[in-house]
Amino acid sequence: MFESLTQRLSGTMERLRGRGRLSESNISEAVREVRIALLEADVALPVVQGLIQRIKVRAVGQEVMRSLTPGQVLVRIVRDELALVMGSQATDLNLNVPAPAVILMAGLQGAGKTTTVAKLAKHLKERRKKKVMVVSADVYRPAAIEQLQTLAGQVGALFFPSDASQKPEAIVKAAIIEARKTFADVLIVDTAGRTSIDDAMMAEIKALHAAVNPVETLFVVDSMTGQDAAVTAKHFGEALPLTGVVLTKTDGDARGGAALSVRYITGKPIKFVGVGEKPDALDVFHPDRAAGRILD
Ligand code: GDP
């Protein structure tokens, strides 16, 4: 996506060779290139504006050492800023609480929550040797509960049944009791999502969060939704004390700006990325590699 940015910036800044300092006026053309590259990568507009501002503040007045061209200096500044936003290290799930560690999944319908519950269950079972139980608090879509049951069977997770006549909080509280009885280490809670942000959905998940006090509250977002991903992230980030993000469908995301946007807006680490539909198509997210790739 940003592959050509280094080249683009070197090109526009070539003629600045020999000048000792970057200034607002002599970098303006190159900054415009950075802006276009970020927008082309589908980074959300407010995020682009914020980043450009930070890049300008850092660049203006910067001395250009003899061994470097101004283009190289600016590329380095852009790279540093992106790395700062993305963070440096992969962040694992925090399970340091008395069992069961409750993980609450939040996000719009279709974002990939149910699929991600199964992927996480498999990950926790295989990589961290945990006994995992899953439960659905989506009382509006019986099909979603069935889907979770099927997936739980596939990945070898315990499934706590629920049905449309129950209240989400009651379902999850009962699941926690069952998880204790069966010595499950982790309970992953799938929740109802709507097709767009709505107050009732937000009120419901806030109440559920307050009732079950999860150690992880993961915002699941479809990386293909581009600018909308940023808007959704803002709403969920304001409604819930998120602890991390799962970015799904990155196998289909050619541009990748969603990662940067969602990280910038929520300030929370992207912990995993979905890379396909199958239960094993989940990767731990490495922000340093992602930031590095942006400009190389
Ligand atoms: P939910 O409504 O948020 O629970 O979303 P689902 O888990 O039902 O997923 C919606 C669709 O997205 C399903 O067809 C999934 O197979 C698909 N999906 C989820 N994650 C990924 C992913 O990482 N890559 C791809 N290609 N498809 C995904």
Side-chain angles (χ1 to χ4, degrees), residues 160-219:
F160 186 79
S162 49
D163 70 65
S165 68
Q166 299 169 286
K167 286 215 159 25
E169 283 135 80
I171 293 170
V172 180
K173 283 185 172 168
I176 291 173
I177 292 169
E178 183 64 18
R180 277 201 198 107
K181 270 194 207 148
T182 52
F183 302 103
D185 302 300
V186 183
L187 175 69
I188 311 179
V189 182
D190 198 3
T191 61
R194 306 282 160 83
T195 48
S196 60
I197 297 290
D198 96 17
D199 292 344
M201 171 182 68
M202 284 303 181
E204 179 179 299
I205 193 147
K206 277 167 86 163
L208 186 57
H209 182 281
V212 304
N213 193 26
V215 64
E216 287 277 2
T217 302
L218 301 178
F219 170 55

Side-chain angles (χ1 to χ4, degrees), residues 108 110-115 119 141 147 249 251 274-277:
L108 291 182
K113 283 185 304 301
T114 308
T115 312
K119 289 175 175 179
R141 294 192 309 142
Q147 184 195 354
K249 310 185 196 181
D251 47 314
V275 295
E277 296 191 64

